[in-house]
């Protein structure tokens, strides 16, 4: 594959640095759907995320829960690479590539109301770059350190530009206490170039524990001093949309409440993957659709 | 020492169980000080904790911070058993027995306004059973799982009755995101008897990671279903008082904000330690004053 110019070099230099974003966050400001208005779109542009409380109704949420339960049961005994376990345990942490098997979750990625919002932001047709169901079990859910998803998708998957977003659908009520996602508002406007080379088959470890592509403490402190920290929480059925370069992470979950969510990444059809920018090998397609 | 009747057996049975509390929470309802009123006292009695926002003023807080900094500097190089490190790292997690050395923190345990509130609740003179400064560093602060302090003090230190309380003074602003203490309101009214025998020299590990005296998930779920979870947070200088048997814990801290606090345990002079109820040996006096 042709290697494009690398606008966001990472894992190549000795010291971390900030690189200004070269791409828009919102690609189309002409409102072309009825789900979100211009104010919401501008808020997404500014903060790098948008929280839509109770986007899905109670009936839909009931269906989410029963389908998640079925998936968890099936995954417990499965030995597929798509099933990721918690570090140091055998609880299921995530199930990947749920958009590839015909069924409920594949249909959910194509949900017309959801698609309308996403195409508004991305300004083109989109496809699913990655999908997974995350089970953050009660009592034992582990923290996930700060990161920009784009850093990984760029370095390890060859995503050239910032024209993708993540969509997290809450399958349970999220509270302030059960390890919900924390975001640094505005952090999507700069790219934190990380240090350290990507080791071979990094993905096998990185889905459980991160060591490379980790932003440095000084850069994180600057971002937090500027933007603060927000934790968008709400009822099951709420949707969090966030830009591919928004810095986010989560604390551990010692509460009895699990925090499951469906996590879909939509990429523009005009932003197709190239060769990885900072890794020797492509990651498997269950992690990065090609 | 004479072994008293064990009203709260733990680490002795094969299955966990609830034991009703046999002691009062508030020992004196006749208001004898000007710091808290009857409503606050009743709230403490009901919920098992009381949060006093900005109990100490800004000037005092500045002093707290400078004294904490000095202590941290001194402790980094110290190899005393009083200095506890983070699991898997060499960051200082806690410094124990700060009430034993003449100086700022010893004086703080005897602060007249603080003492007045505590004697109101305990209904007698008190002494410091344990003291420590906790440094929950930014980025790397680890979670601390749910526990009742009394369970440990009873099992390993021989504290006979529930007539003690903890006082946590915030040395930095506590937020919802930096691993602040979570409590289960009302959980102080039952004792969760835990399973598993106490191993020798358990304290060396348990200050860094708990394995014994850990409440079971079913009991915790019942307590949370009944009382919910609260996270009393406020500015530096706020004080959280909580009953010795209140179930509490904290999540990890990946934010840049450290969460230091001074932690003092006051026990009634009428509740002096006996032989441990569920351990072969007493813990060292820097952990449990005798």
């Amino acid at each position: 594959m042709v290697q494009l110019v690398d606008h966001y070099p990472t894992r190549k230099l000795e010291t971390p640095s900030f690189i200004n974003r070269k791409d828009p966050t919102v690609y189309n400001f002409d409102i072309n759907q009825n789900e979100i208005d211009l104010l919401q779109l501008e808020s997404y542009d500014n903060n790098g995320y948008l929280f839509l409380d109770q986007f899905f109704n109670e009936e839909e949420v009931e269906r989410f829960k029963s389908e998640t339960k079925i998936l968890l049961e099936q995954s417990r005994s499965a030995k597929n690479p798509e099933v990721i376990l918690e570090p140091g345990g055998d609880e299921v942490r995530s199930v990947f590539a749920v958009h590839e098997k015909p069924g409920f979750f594949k249909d959910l990625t194509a949900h017309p109301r959801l698609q309308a919002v996403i195409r508004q932001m991305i300004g083109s047709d989109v496809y699913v770059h990655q999908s997974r169901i995350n089970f953050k079990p009660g009592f034992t859910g582990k923290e996930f350190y700060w990161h920009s998803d784009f850093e990984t998708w760029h370095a390890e998957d060859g995503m050239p530009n910032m024209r993708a977003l993540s969509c997290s659908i809450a399958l349970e009520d999220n509270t302030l206490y059960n390890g919900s996602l924390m975001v640094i508002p505005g952090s999507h406007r700069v790219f934190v170039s990380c240090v350290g080379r990507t080791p071979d088959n990094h993905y096998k470890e990185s889905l459980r524990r991160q060591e490379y592509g980790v932003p440095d403490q000084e850069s994180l402190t600057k971002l937090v001093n500027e933007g603060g920290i927000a934790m968008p929480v709400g009822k099951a059925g709420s949707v969090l949309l966030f830009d591919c370069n928004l810095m986010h992470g989560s604390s551990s979950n010692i509460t009895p409440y699990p925090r499951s969510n469906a996590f879909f990444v939509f990429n523009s059809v005009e932003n197709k993957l190239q060769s990885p920018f900072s890794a020797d090998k492509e990651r498997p397609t269950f992690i990065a659709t090609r």
Side-chain angles (χ1 to χ4, degrees), chain A:
Chain A
M1 249 181 266
V2 180
Q3 179 71 69
L4 301 184
V5 177
D6 186 352
H7 292 300
Y8 302 105
T10 185
R11 308 188 199 180
K12 287 177 173 172
L13 302 169
E14 296 283 313
T15 49
S17 62
F18 282 129
I19 298 172
N20 280 331
R21 183 182 183 117
K22 293 172 178 69
D23 302 304
T25 303
V26 169
Y27 281 74
N28 182 11
F29 277 102
D30 297 328
I31 298 293
N32 60 12
Q33 40 69 46
N34 298 314
E35 304 300 330
I36 62 167
D37 59 25
L38 188 59
L39 273 180
Q40 288 173 300
L41 198 58
E42 284 172 347
S43 164
Y44 178 82
D45 191 44
N46 256 326
N47 297 315
Y49 70 96
L50 182 65
F51 187 70
L52 302 168
D53 205 8
Q54 295 179 297
F55 188 81
F56 293 104
N57 65 34
E58 275 183 39
E59 201 178 312
E60 289 169 308
V61 166
E62 281 312 307
R63 182 76 196 279
F64 291 172
K65 287 189 180 170
S66 59
E67 293 288 342
T68 309
K69 209 170 159 185
I70 293 166
L71 182 69
L72 183 59
E73 288 308 320
Q74 289 169 343
S75 306
R76 274 204 181 110
S77 49
K79 295 266 182 263
N80 313 337
E82 289 86 353
V83 177
I84 312 292
L85 304 179
E86 286 282 331
D90 51 4
E91 292 248 41
V92 177
R93 178 177 190 141
S94 306
V95 179
F96 276 72
V98 292
H99 69 289
E100 286 184 350
K101 270 197 296 192
F104 176 77
F105 289 110
K106 182 179 170 65
D107 295 345
L108 187 55
T109 64
H111 192 284
R113 291 177 55 224
L114 202 58
Q115 280 278 333
V117 179
I118 290 158
R119 284 199 305 261
Q120 173 79 62
M121 288 152 173
I122 300 292
S124 72
D125 279 343
V126 296
Y127 72 97
V128 177
H129 167 66
Q130 185 186 95
S131 73
R132 59 180 198 261
I133 308 300
N134 292 317
F135 305 93
K136 194 152 192 169
F139 299 113
T140 59
K142 293 291 180 297
E143 70 180 40
F144 217 93
Y145 196 69
W146 300 110
H147 61 287
S148 147
D149 290 328
F150 179 77
E151 197 278 340
T152 299
W153 301 337
H154 185 70
E156 302 189 29
D157 298 337
M159 185 183 284
N161 292 103
M162 295 180 183
R163 195 172 183 178
L165 61 72
S166 294
C167 165
S168 172
I169 303 172
L171 302 174
E172 321 259 355
D173 297 353
N174 283 357
T175 76
L176 294 171
Y177 310 131
N178 64 342
S180 298
L181 206 73
M182 296 186 285
V183 302
I184 305 179
S187 59
H188 64 301
R189 289 192 293 261
V190 289
F191 179 74
V192 180
S193 176
C194 301
V195 299
R197 268 181 56 81
T198 313
D200 286 349
N201 291 324
H202 177 226
Y203 75 92
K204 286 186 186 169
E205 271 308 304
S206 71
L207 301 177
R208 295 165 58 126
R209 187 173 45 230
Q210 304 120 296
E211 287 182 45
Y212 302 87
V214 176
D216 62 296
Q217 296 189 352
E218 195 184 328
S219 300
L220 286 171
T221 303
K222 278 187 197 159
L223 292 174
V224 170
N225 283 344
E226 198 150 315
I229 293 173
M231 193 189 264
V233 291
K235 292 265 171 206
S238 66
V239 171
L240 175 66
L241 298 164
F242 61 100
D243 179 79
C244 57
N245 189 44
L246 188 75
M247 202 61 84
H248 62 285
S250 59
S251 292
S252 55
N253 178 15
I254 66 168
T255 78
Y257 308 122
R259 194 184 65 80
S260 311
N261 63 340
F263 196 90
F264 304 142
V265 179
F266 297 95
N267 188 26
S268 168
V269 293
E270 295 169 26
N271 192 34
K272 289 235 168 97
L273 301 191
Q274 312 294 321
S275 298
F277 286 89
S278 300
D280 292 333
K281 251 191 348 191
E282 294 170 2
R283 296 197 296 176
T285 52
F286 75 85
I287 299 179
T289 309
R290 288 181 177 269

